[in-house]
Amino acid sequence: MSKITPELLRRAKAGQEAAVAGVLAQMMPAIRSRAADHVCPGMEFDDAVQEGIIGLFGAIKTYDPGRAASFETYAAACIQNAILSARRAAGRKKHGPLNQSVPLEDVHPTPGPEELAIQNERLQDTLDAIQSQLSDLERSVLELFLEGLSYEQIAKTLGRTPKTVENALTRLRRKLKKSRRSTQ
């Protein structure tokens, strides 16, 4: 690990993002090492790393070069203290139920027949609204828009101006919202 220069530290303390990123890059191995040592129920590795980064930001703000310790030593102590403080907070009894719980899997239940029927009915209503309420231009614009074309590409394809395309999209959105409200 190369030493953090006083100039880099001065710029980081002044809030220059590039300098802060430079200090963070230099100190990241130390942060990761300390974070790995303090993983526990309620505090995962990534959480510990974030706490260490917060500790480093505090060290950047409060470091006094007139003291005897180097910035690296001071920052290491601040990082350690921030991670330990977060670990103590995570281990408190009030967090026990969360720390001991088993995460639920992100399962999307298969919709039942009633839900499928309702979804199909809404889809059919929307398709009917598109057919009956939208003009030929609006239907063409919608079709091209849903294919991922930009306003300019749609305008070029249909031989219209981008403003005409924008107006058509605004009108069709309004019509479809109104149609949706009336079917709910």
Side-chain angles (χ1 to χ4, degrees), residues 40-101:
C40 67
M43 188 162 86
E44 296 177 2
F45 175 74
D46 290 339
D47 297 332
V49 169
Q50 287 178 355
E51 292 298 332
I53 291 171
I54 291 169
L56 175 62
F57 290 159
I60 290 171
K61 293 278 186 210
T62 60
Y63 178 67
D64 180 6
R67 301 270 179 165
S70 69
F71 174 75
E72 289 84 354
T73 303
Y74 179 75
C78 290
I79 291 164
Q80 180 80 10
N81 290 339
I83 293 172
L84 285 173
S85 178
R87 181 180 172 147
R88 279 191 301 272
R92 291 193 181 113
K93 286 184 180 179
K94 71 178 187 176
H95 299 296
L98 289 174
N99 294 344
Q100 304 305 323
S101 64

Side-chain angles (χ1 to χ4, degrees), residues 144-176:
L144 294 171
F145 183 76
L146 292 175
E147 289 179 12
L149 273 67
S150 68
Y151 287 15
E152 290 77 20
Q153 292 169 326
I154 295 170
K156 187 175 180 181
T157 301
L158 298 177
R160 304 290 181 118
T161 66
K163 184 65 178 173
T164 302
V165 170
E166 181 181 349
N167 290 340
L169 278 169
T170 301
R171 284 191 311 273
L172 74 88
R173 285 183 183 123
R174 190 179 324 117
K175 288 177 182 180
L176 292 176

